[in-house]
Amino acid sequence: MLAAAEHCTAAVAVGGALYTWGHDSQDDHHQGRYGRLGHSYGHDVDVPTIVGDGLEGKCVVSVAVGRRHGAAVTSDGEVFTWGEYIYGNPGPDAPTLVRGVLEGKRILSVSAGTDFTTALTSGGEVYTWDCGKCGAPGSEGFGDIDDLADSRTLVGGGLVGKRVVGVSASDSHSVAVTADGEVFSWGEGDSGCLGHGNEEDVLTPKQVEGILTGLHVVTVAVDDMHTAVVTREGRLFVWGASYDFSLISTRTLVPTLVGGALADKRVVGVSVGDSHMAAVTDAGECYTWGSGEWGRLGHGDTEHRFTPTLVTGALSGKRVVEVGAAASGGLHTAAVTLEGDLYTWGGGEWRAAMEYGFYSDLCKLGHGPIDDEEWYNVPRLVSSRMKWSVDPRLLVWSRATHLRFPRAFRDTVGALILAVNCTASAVVSVDENPWKILFETQ
């Protein structure tokens, strides 16, 4: 399981231990000392380091990181958060259990915006808390950007009576997928990121219709002004700000099918970064497109790619099972293979990073001290003795009769399934939403 943001990266090892690394020291850009790593407050960490305090003996099944904070879900359905909440409101330096209205509920996953956190329960409910910026929490009204909501709020609007199976949050909008494959969005509408055919803000969840009507969406990913969804047939739709910087119009107001190299591929996963996007196919191929600045696309250069392009290099012959494009201003990308190996790239050539004052930010790649001018724009293995786990929702590899768990992750996947009260031997059709199956077999 991966999570990547502007200044840090997080991953879960086989067995459920959480590791984070990245930038947290004080700097001239005032981007440090937030406690975003969950350990080593005020210090940079350039290799994967375990998050111990607060999570001792816990098995992490979901992780999310924002600009200034992080959140994790454990196998017993509890949520822990750490880091700064919003604009000078300090939070815990180490993971701390979230209580209140979430007590007694089993949480399945979390997503982090810059100033708030979103959690999905086993009952298909969505809760948000912290800043009410831009209506991102989905409660009635926008709220004041400087208000810190102490209570955890149940998201209503169009989600009332719906069972949500997936949710993704950006700095300014959120998108949810229901068990019926419907998509709902709310928050700021800049560049058409809500998919409603305009740029108007929406205070509470509203269904995205148009070309998605009648299709069954199974997963969603968002960043500030971008949204992407994947259907159970493996088709990828995107909307919001365009990655084609040569166009006069740099926005797409409604869901649009991604073609090009993905036209005949079955997409099983997608991640949306600040200025780039990454997708994984059922063949384990990783495709990226968007801004090539700082080497974030992994193609050996800094050129822009306006259509999906296969990432090769160290990933050639590997089967990628999960990818994370750093959101919230992020300049890097991470990927986990079927063998449990972790690769990262991007962040910029080290001399340029030093010139711009971002050298400490290269810690988020996890490669230790860096003095190589060529490493940054191609995938590079994060040297580590541990193997990394993946999101079980992504382990669907063919159109065969049954859902398959790759041998390398069988034990881990079994543990993750049991974490949401499912049996590891459940047999299901790959044409169903994996998260829906998790709910229905409790």
Side-chain angles (χ1 to χ4, degrees):
M1 280 164 284
L2 287 175
E6 181 177 9
H7 302 290
C8 64
T9 307
V12 178
V14 170
L18 174 63
Y19 289 74
T20 64
W21 56 99
H23 168 55
D24 198 47
S25 64
Q26 188 60 272
D27 57 40
D28 295 336
H29 303 278
H30 306 290
Q31 297 299 314
R33 300 185 66 83
Y34 290 116
R36 60 170 64 92
L37 302 181
H39 57 73
S40 308
Y41 176 80
H43 298 279
D44 298 330
V45 177
D46 59 14
V47 293
T49 302
I50 194 168
V51 180
D53 292 346
L55 292 178
E56 301 94 336
K58 301 288 186 179
C59 175
V60 174
V61 298
S62 177
V63 61
V65 288
R67 273 201 176 102
R68 294 182 285 268
H69 80 292
V73 179
T74 63
S75 58
D76 51 11
E78 296 178 322
V79 181
F80 292 77
T81 60
W82 60 92
E84 183 174 287
Y85 290 140
I86 171 176
Y87 301 120
N89 291 283
D93 299 338
T96 301
L97 180 64
V98 176
R99 301 184 182 278
V101 70
L102 295 185
E103 291 185 277
K105 294 185 179 294
R106 178 175 288 275
I107 307 302
L108 296 183
S109 67
V110 285
S111 184
T114 292
D115 305 315
F116 69 99
T117 307
T118 299
L120 174 64
T121 74
S122 60
E125 301 169 317
V126 176
Y127 284 85
T128 63
W129 60 94
D130 288 354
C131 175
K133 175 185 178 183
C134 306
S139 57
E140 296 294 339
F142 276 66
D144 191 303
I145 191 171
D146 294 320
D147 286 342
L148 185 66
D150 293 326
S151 61
R152 283 75 194 171
T153 304
L154 176 65
V155 176
L159 294 182
V160 174
K162 301 287 185 178
R163 181 183 289 269
V164 176
V165 295
V167 62
S168 183
S170 78
D171 290 357
S172 55
H173 79 295
S174 299
V175 181
V177 177
T178 71
D180 295 323
E182 300 168 325
V183 178
F184 290 79
S185 63
W186 62 99
E188 281 191 352
D190 286 353
S191 296
C193 63
L194 299 183
H196 301 306
N198 53 52
E199 295 186 83
E200 297 178 3
D201 300 334
V202 176
L203 303 187
T204 57
K206 177 181 177 181
Q207 185 173 357
V208 179
E209 299 178 309
I211 196 173
L212 294 184
T213 302
L215 298 180
H216 193 115
V217 172
V218 296
T219 190
V220 60
V222 304
D223 188 52
D224 287 5
M225 294 182 290
H226 313 95
T227 303
V229 299
V230 178
T231 70
R232 64 182 178 188
E233 294 81 18
R235 300 166 68 189
L236 174 62
F237 292 84
V238 300
W239 59 93
S242 173
Y243 289 131
D244 189 341
F245 310 108
S246 68
L247 298 179
I248 296 177
S249 175
T250 57
R251 60 185 181 181
T252 303
L253 301 181
V254 295
T256 303
L257 179 66
V258 176
L262 295 179
D264 298 321
K265 304 289 185 177
R266 188 180 189 192
V267 177
V268 296
V270 64
S271 182
V272 181
D274 179 65
S275 296
H276 73 301
M277 192 173 294
V280 177
T281 70
D282 62 353
E285 300 167 320
C286 178
Y287 290 80
T288 61
W289 63 102
S291 170
E293 290 182 327
W294 302 90
R296 74 189 87 190
L297 298 183
H299 300 306
D301 54 40
T302 57
E303 299 297 318
H304 301 328
R305 301 294 197 285
F306 302 141
T307 60
T309 304
L310 180 65
V311 179
T312 55
L315 294 185
S316 296
K318 303 292 184 179
R319 195 161 195 172
V320 176
V321 293
E322 187 170 5
V323 65
S328 300
L331 305 174
H332 73 296
T333 309
V336 174
T337 68
L338 184 62
E339 295 76 23
D341 293 324
L342 174 63
Y343 294 80
T344 61
W345 60 91
E349 187 266 325
W350 71 279
R351 294 183 190 278
M354 291 182 69
E355 179 182 350
Y356 282 93
F358 295 137
Y359 180 71
S360 61
D361 228 12
L362 298 181
C363 295
K364 62 195 175 189
L365 297 176
H367 298 307
I370 295 170
D371 58 1
D372 184 345
E373 296 185 10
E374 302 297 330
W375 63 270
Y376 71 99
N377 54 22
V378 293
R380 181 177 178 180
L381 179 66
V382 176
S383 179
S384 178
R385 295 182 179 180
M386 76 279 293
K387 293 296 183 180
W388 304 96
S389 65
V390 299
D391 189 328
R393 293 172 293 179
L394 303 177
L395 300 178
V396 182
W397 294 116
S398 72
R399 296 181 182 276
T401 304
H402 302 100
L403 183 67
R404 296 178 176 180
F405 298 131
R407 182 179 299 276
F409 293 107
R410 190 165 296 161
D411 294 339
T412 301
V413 171
L416 291 174
I417 292 176
L418 291 173
V420 286
N421 291 334
C422 298
T423 64
S425 60
V427 177
V428 294
S429 166
V430 297
D431 286 332
E432 293 294 331
N433 181 342
W435 271 110
K436 183 178 179 181
I437 292 162
L438 295 182
F439 288 125
E440 293 182 344
T441 56
Q442 288 189 56

